[in-house]
Amino acid sequence: TPRTLFPYTTLFRSPKAKTRRKKQVLWAVVALAVLLIAGFGVWQKSPPNLGKGDNMKAAGVYARWDAGDIVVLVRHAERCDRSSNPCLGPADGITRLGSDTAAELGKAFMTMGMSNADVFSSPLTRTAQTSLYMFGKASAEQDWLVNCETSMLQDVVAHKTPHRNLVLVTHSGCISKFEHQLGFKHAATSEYSSALFVSVGTDGKPNVLGIVNVQDWPSVLNKKP
């Protein structure tokens, strides 16, 4: 009798083998789903949006602001060299639209209360102009708000005076460095004139509260206690 070239079982698998294979595939799918869910839990894409609903109050921003425990990182307004809008001047500064936005943002901070706050800005033209239009006067310029490659987090904490709020007018790259150092490694690039709120208590430990984009300030202020 000629020998069979392939074992019979390779051509027709038994029902038990098929069932066992299905179970293996099912458990593999379940394991992959668990890993994906766990990964999404660890992957902090961006800080919370404080401009939605009652997030500002829920995050305790108002109470912490009154206590002087807040640091705010503000991105400069719209820059001339990346816009077709008329430039305020000079060319490395902000647009006229940007200056109007900065002025409105400053009014929002004045409504929050600036009597217990310090303001620093990067020395570059676009940040200095943004701070000027926000508060109507020049702010103290700090090189570390543009040269922020390695120690942004440490510099922010070092310049925070206990029980006084700190407003920092800086750049999207520096804000990203700060977020990265606090675990938000995949955060979206901050928008023009956005404000990242961070609490820094007496222990010196920063805690990201969330972001307010410039278009959300009217609804935020309407809900202020």
Side-chain angles (χ1 to χ4, degrees), residues 162-196:
H163 310 301
R164 285 189 65 82
N165 298 312
L166 179 60
V167 179
L168 304 172
V169 185
T170 183
H171 306 268
S172 60
C174 293
I175 295 173
S176 292
K177 290 290 183 184
F178 183 82
E179 291 172 326
H180 188 281
Q181 290 176 306
L182 287 176
F184 292 90
K185 297 182 180 181
H186 310 285
T189 301
S190 56
E191 297 180 10
Y192 287 131
S193 304
S194 63
L196 175 66

Side-chain angles (χ1 to χ4, degrees), residues 40 42-50 176 179 183-190 196 208-211 213:
F40 282 126
V42 174
W43 185 300
Q44 293 178 296
K45 185 176 181 182
S46 294
N49 186 344
L50 297 175
S176 292
E179 291 172 326
F184 292 90
K185 297 182 180 181
H186 310 285
T189 301
S190 56
L196 175 66
V208 174
L209 302 177
I211 295 175
N213 291 317

